[in-house]
């Protein structure tokens, strides 16, 4: 009866409509009544129920959302290790091996998708979580009144086994699936708790006491901290309450826990006994404990990934990279050890980097879709993301100032006769991006934009927001692991470091020591190849060392491509104008190159990010020494990119 009434959105109290609660937006959608009933179930039952944490996120799939969803599926499988250490395997309601590609193809036209992390506190008691997940999804289908299209993967590589579930944003009729917020925040968690309690039985006093006792010394936010905060007054002052009855064993246990936790907080500098029996809690207690918990998780991840890679480091050589820290080097250079999810529900990623400074670094790289895949072993340079106003922002502000606060493509082309339509459209894309993220950037129906007088300040605020989502810039110095850079044709990163006037300082530890040893072996190889000579206590390198190595590699690669394409290879010369179709990107030992195809021949030139959006399109540029200046988006004679 309760379930029937709940599904109808009614109440057992009855009464006329004037006694009903006011309309609430969180009750819109499927499962509203069920979520409301589950959220207000019997308190005793809730106290004894097995605890389950459920994290929820609704992800929009418009624009690049589907690409991000594809990346998310790949990484939850990669990070989801089985108990035997194998990668995680997707499964669904019927199959133990689900087809993730087919799932995404079905979601191609979906507006959104739901992502859940279901983390039973007693997950270690299960041999596997598949059956629990399937029963939970069956309950959810009953509550929501529709079949659900979902895939899941279990993670056992942490101390708390948990499950990632991805649900399509369509119901079984093909309409958008809208789930009430109260079901997302309460209902699904309570359903999971019911199932775990049914499987393992309700929590006993011993279970509850053991869990609380483990929290006393933890350097993270715990339920004991929350109980202390509730007992304190508005200023954080806490009076120790005397036992109501010395014979009350439960009361003695609770007071022991409280005092033990207060002593731990005192050691951490987050509580102070101002007089016997009276304590003052720090106003920074909760954020500090959250940071300590996150730091502990990060250090564990560093230990785990470095051990997996067979790279031993001392405790002092594990570091959390903070690009805003003035004491950190401006640029971190090192080898990629692993990539993973730091915020699994928010799809925020991290890199483990074995630095040339001899330390292992954990680096927050922001949202997963912001950084392309980087192979383990690649050598990269990481620097803080710039938050400066862009040249496009200044151009928009300048044009708007001359046109009564308006900007459009036509106004741009009149203001700057050398600009092309494509170049002006890049400014419109910039405004579109800002409009989606900031209020105050307004587009008119006729295509003109209303530009505020403080547009540059708004652009700077937008860049700061982007820096929070993508805090660092990553440059791939070499896709080749260090060992493969020895004895190979091509001007590698190691070659460039060897002849550089300001090489990156390599510490005699960890990856830095490997680099030092590799430089010594490379120096001897170059002497044997006749590309360097020893003169007393020093080695003298050919002036054109990198050019010679690069020509060797390009000649070998070009010969192979010529046979595949049926075209002749034309070596680019300084000052020559390059025109053709940009066909593909090539990662070589000498760096990243672009293949430019003409009617009867092709050439290989250094790749630049500006080419990324011109794949398959005509491009032109002028070779300048070892580089090339691309003329894209401007008429001939105008500025180049």
């Amino acid at each position: 009866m309760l379930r029937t009434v709940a599904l109808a959105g009614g109440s057992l109290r009855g009464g006329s409509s004037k006694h009903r609660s006011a309309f609430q937006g969180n009750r819109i959608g499927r499962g509203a009544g069920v979520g409301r009933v589950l959220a207000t179930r019997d308190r005793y039952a809730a106290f004894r129920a097995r605890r389950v944490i459920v994290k929820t996120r609704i992800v929009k799939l418009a624009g690049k959302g589907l690409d991000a969803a594809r990346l998310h599926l790949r990484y939850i499988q990669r990070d989801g290790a089985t108990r035997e250490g194998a990668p995680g395997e997707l499964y669904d309601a019927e199959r133990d091996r689900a087809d993730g590609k087919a799932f995404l193809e079905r979601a191609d036209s979906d507006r959104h998708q739901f992502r859940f992390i279901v983390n039973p506190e007693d997950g270690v008691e299960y041999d596997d979580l598949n059956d629990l997940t399937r029963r939970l999804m069956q309950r959810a289908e009953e509550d929501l009144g529709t079949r659900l299209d979902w895939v899941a993967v279990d993670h056992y590589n942490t101390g708390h086994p948990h499950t990632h579930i991805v649900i399509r944003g369509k119901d079984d009729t093909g309409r958008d699936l809208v789930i009430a917020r109260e079901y997302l925040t309460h209902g699904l968690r309570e359903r999971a708790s019911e199932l775990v309690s049914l499987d393992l039985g309700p929590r006993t006093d011993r279970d509850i006491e053991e869990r609380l006792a483990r929290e006393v010394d933890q350097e993270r936010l715990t339920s004991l901290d929350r109980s202390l905060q509730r007992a304190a007054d508005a200023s954080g002052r806490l009076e120790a309450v005397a036992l109501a009855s010395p014979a009350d064993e439960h009361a003695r246990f609770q007071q022991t826990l409280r005092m033990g936790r207060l002593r731990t907080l005192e050691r951490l500098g987050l509580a102070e006994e101002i007089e016997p029996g009276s304590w003052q809690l720090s106003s920074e207690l909760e954020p500090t404990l959250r940071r300590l918990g996150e730091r502990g998780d990060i250090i564990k991840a560093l230990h785990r990934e470095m051990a997996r890679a067979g790279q031993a480091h001392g405790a002092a050589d594990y570091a959390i990279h903070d690009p805003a820290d003035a004491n950190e080097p401006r640029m971190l250079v090192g080898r990629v050890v692993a990539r993973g999810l730091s915020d699994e529900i928010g799809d925020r990623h991290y890199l483990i980097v074995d630095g040339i400074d001899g330390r292992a670094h954990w680096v927050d790289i922001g949202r997963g879709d912001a950084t392309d895949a980087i192979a383990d072993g690649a050598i990269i340079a990481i620097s803080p993301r710039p938050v400066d106003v862009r040249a496009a922002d200044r151009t928009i502000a300048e044009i708007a100032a001359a046109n009564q606060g308006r900007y459009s493509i036509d106004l741009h082309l009149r203001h700057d006769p050398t600009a092309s339509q494509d170049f002006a459209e890049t400014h419109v894309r910039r405004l579109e991006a800002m409009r989606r993220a900031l209020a105050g950037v307004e587009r008119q129906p006729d295509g003109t934009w209303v530009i505020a007088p403080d547009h540059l300040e708004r652009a700077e605020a937008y860049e700061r927001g982007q820096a929070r989502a993508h805090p660092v810039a990553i440059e791939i110095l070499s896709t080749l692991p260090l060992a493969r850079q020895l004895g190979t044709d091509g001007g590698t990163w190691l070659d460039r470091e060897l002849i550089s006037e300001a090489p990156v300082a390599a510490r005699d530890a960890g990856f830095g020591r490997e680099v030092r040893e590799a430089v010594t072996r490379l120096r001897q190889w170059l002497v044997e190849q006749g590309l360097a000579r020893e003169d007393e206590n020093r080695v003298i390198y050919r002036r054109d060392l990198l050019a010679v190595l690069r020509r060797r590699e390009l000649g070998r690669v070009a010969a192979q491509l010529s046979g595949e394409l049926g075209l002749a290879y034309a070596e680019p010369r300084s000052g020559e104008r390059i025109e053709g179709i940009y066909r593909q990107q090539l990662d070589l030992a000498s760096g990243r190159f672009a293949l430019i195809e003409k009617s009867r021949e092709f050439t290989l030139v250094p790749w630049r990010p500006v080419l990324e959006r011109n794949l398959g399109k005509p491009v032109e540029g002028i070779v300048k020494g070892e580089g090339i200046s691309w003329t894209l988006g401007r008429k001939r004679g105008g500025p180049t990119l």
Side-chain angles (χ1 to χ4, degrees):
M1 182 175 65
L2 280 171
R3 180 164 175 250
T4 302
V5 172
L7 285 172
S11 169
L12 289 179
R13 295 181 180 181
S16 62
S17 60
K18 66 180 180 181
H19 296 297
R20 296 175 188 168
S21 59
F23 171 79
Q24 294 182 11
N26 66 347
R27 296 180 181 177
I28 297 175
R30 293 176 180 265
V34 179
R36 188 156 61 250
V37 170
L38 291 174
T40 57
R41 67 178 181 170
D42 180 76
R43 289 187 177 182
Y44 179 81
F47 178 72
R48 293 291 179 187
R50 298 281 175 168
R51 288 157 47 104
V52 179
I53 297 173
V54 176
K55 297 181 180 179
T56 307
R57 186 184 179 203
I58 303 173
V59 180
K60 295 181 180 179
L61 299 184
K64 294 184 177 180
L66 198 60
D67 291 336
R70 186 174 293 106
L71 189 68
H72 180 74
L73 274 189
R74 184 164 71 239
Y75 273 98
I76 62 175
Q77 291 176 82
R78 173 177 169 173
D79 278 13
T82 65
R83 296 190 191 277
E84 294 76 28
E89 190 74 56
L90 279 180
Y91 62 92
D92 58 21
E94 299 174 351
R95 295 175 293 271
D96 289 336
R97 289 193 173 185
D99 188 342
K101 182 179 179 181
F103 175 79
L104 290 172
E105 288 175 351
R106 294 195 300 272
D108 183 56
S109 61
D110 290 3
R111 185 184 67 177
H112 62 279
Q113 70 176 199
F114 299 91
R115 295 178 188 170
F116 299 96
I117 298 178
V118 180
N119 185 359
E121 187 177 54
D122 302 293
V124 292
E125 301 293 332
Y126 286 87
D127 292 333
D128 67 69
L129 297 171
N130 297 32
D131 181 63
L132 174 64
T133 302
R134 286 178 172 133
R135 286 184 289 140
L136 177 60
M137 289 295 97
Q138 287 175 356
R139 289 286 185 93
E141 288 177 341
E142 294 172 5
D143 292 337
L144 302 177
T146 180
R147 291 291 301 274
L148 300 174
D149 190 355
W150 59 272
V151 292
V153 63
D154 300 329
H155 284 200
Y156 296 97
N157 58 343
T158 68
H160 302 282
H162 57 278
T163 301
H164 287 259
I165 305 172
V166 181
I167 303 177
R168 282 187 58 200
K170 295 285 188 182
D171 62 20
D172 52 10
T173 66
R175 297 180 180 178
D176 289 333
L177 176 62
V178 180
I179 303 177
R181 186 184 303 171
E182 61 184 14
Y183 189 83
L184 294 174
T185 55
H186 300 293
L188 196 64
R189 182 187 66 207
E190 298 300 333
R191 285 301 189 210
S193 177
E194 286 177 355
L195 291 172
V196 178
S197 298
L198 182 64
D199 292 342
L200 305 179
R203 294 191 301 167
T204 65
D205 288 341
R206 181 180 293 275
D207 292 332
I208 297 169
E209 290 174 359
E210 287 179 350
R211 180 182 59 79
L212 291 172
R214 289 195 299 268
E215 292 184 355
V216 169
D217 297 321
Q218 290 183 3
E219 295 186 0
R220 63 175 64 245
L221 188 66
T222 68
S223 62
L224 288 177
D225 301 311
R226 296 196 181 282
S227 68
L228 291 173
Q229 288 178 314
R230 287 194 297 268
D233 61 20
S235 66
R237 187 182 178 96
L238 179 69
E239 301 292 341
V241 180
L243 290 176
S245 169
D248 188 341
E249 183 178 351
H250 178 71
R252 289 201 307 273
F253 177 72
Q254 290 294 326
Q255 188 179 56
T256 300
L257 290 176
R258 174 179 290 190
M259 295 307 300
R261 186 58 180 171
L262 284 169
R263 291 301 179 190
T264 299
L265 294 177
E266 183 180 39
R267 174 175 58 83
L268 297 173
L270 298 173
E272 179 185 3
E273 190 174 19
I274 51 181
E275 58 184 57
S278 295
W279 291 78
Q280 180 66 43
L281 301 180
S282 169
S283 60
E284 294 296 310
L285 183 145
E286 185 168 338
T288 301
L289 288 175
R290 288 189 184 278
R291 286 195 298 270
L292 286 173
E294 291 170 359
R295 181 178 179 84
D297 293 338
I298 289 171
I299 296 300
K300 289 177 184 177
L302 274 167
H303 276 280
R304 182 177 66 250
E305 296 296 348
M306 294 303 293
R308 185 182 299 171
Q311 304 293 329
H313 281 276
D317 289 331
Y318 289 105
I320 300 174
H321 183 68
D322 182 3
D325 188 349
N327 296 321
E328 289 280 350
R330 185 68 180 172
M331 180 178 291
L332 168 63
V333 176
R335 171 177 57 198
V336 175
V337 175
R339 176 172 176 168
L341 291 161
S342 55
D343 178 1
E344 295 175 305
I345 198 68
D347 199 32
R348 199 170 181 93
H349 289 224
Y350 67 85
L351 285 179
I352 302 294
V353 179
D354 197 0
I356 201 171
D357 61 357
R359 299 189 297 168
H361 299 261
W362 185 94
V363 185
D364 176 18
I365 62 172
R367 292 209 312 264
D369 58 351
T371 304
D372 293 335
I374 304 174
D376 292 351
I379 298 171
I380 62 173
I382 296 176
S383 55
R385 178 188 172 95
V387 293
D388 300 330
V389 174
R390 296 187 182 183
D393 301 317
R394 301 187 186 280
T395 300
I396 291 169
E398 178 184 336
I399 294 171
N403 292 276
Q404 293 78 47
R406 296 290 191 272
Y407 173 86
S408 69
I409 292 178
D410 290 340
L411 292 173
H412 191 146
L413 298 179
R414 284 202 295 267
H415 182 84
D416 181 5
T418 67
S420 69
Q421 178 87 9
D422 289 343
F423 183 71
E425 286 176 356
T426 63
H427 294 67
V428 172
R429 288 195 290 271
R430 171 69 170 175
L431 288 170
E432 286 283 3
M434 291 179 61
R435 182 178 67 86
R436 289 191 293 267
L438 291 174
V441 181
E442 182 182 352
R443 182 181 59 192
Q444 298 296 306
D446 62 356
T448 62
W449 292 79
V450 179
I451 306 300
D454 61 345
H455 181 73
L456 295 182
E457 288 79 3
R458 292 172 187 266
E460 186 176 358
Y462 172 75
E463 287 297 322
R464 286 196 299 269
Q466 291 295 101
R468 287 191 291 271
H470 319 300
V472 295
I474 300 176
E475 178 187 1
I476 299 178
L477 300 177
S478 176
T479 57
L480 291 182
L482 190 64
R484 290 183 55 194
Q485 295 185 43
L486 293 171
T488 184
D489 55 15
T492 67
W493 170 76
L494 205 56
D495 294 307
R496 296 192 296 271
E497 282 294 299
L498 185 63
I499 65 174
S500 173
E501 296 182 357
V504 180
R507 180 182 164 201
D508 189 21
F511 182 59
R513 178 175 296 163
E514 292 183 37
V515 171
R516 286 186 169 198
E517 293 172 353
V519 164
T520 300
R521 294 199 298 272
L522 176 62
R523 188 180 291 118
Q524 184 60 39
W525 182 82
L526 290 173
V527 171
E528 294 171 357
Q529 294 290 312
L531 299 173
R533 60 184 176 85
E534 295 179 317
D535 184 10
E536 297 181 353
N537 295 326
R538 65 195 184 108
V539 176
I540 301 175
Y541 306 99
R542 284 187 55 162
R543 289 179 178 271
D544 58 349
L545 171 64
L546 291 179
V548 170
L549 290 171
R550 188 171 73 163
R551 280 198 299 272
R552 284 185 183 181
E553 181 180 33
L554 290 179
R556 173 178 58 81
V557 173
Q560 180 180 348
L561 289 171
S562 182
E564 295 174 359
L565 300 173
L567 299 173
Y569 171 63
E571 182 178 352
R573 302 185 182 280
S574 184
E576 179 184 358
R577 177 171 291 278
I578 301 295
E579 297 181 7
I581 307 296
Y582 168 44
R583 289 301 185 193
Q584 69 178 101
Q585 163 192 309
L586 300 170
D587 285 320
L588 308 179
S590 299
R592 184 166 287 179
F593 285 80
L595 190 155
I596 310 299
E597 181 183 311
K598 301 179 184 179
S599 58
R600 297 182 180 179
E601 61 185 18
F602 71 96
T603 189
L604 299 174
V605 296
W607 183 90
R608 290 187 62 189
V610 71
L611 287 173
E612 189 169 0
R613 59 178 180 270
N614 288 278
L615 184 64
K617 298 179 181 178
V619 294
E620 61 179 273
I622 299 176
V623 179
K624 293 185 176 180
E626 300 296 331
I628 186 168
S629 178
W630 293 107
T631 306
L632 302 174
R634 288 275 185 163
K635 297 177 181 178
R636 187 172 297 182
T640 58
L641 297 175

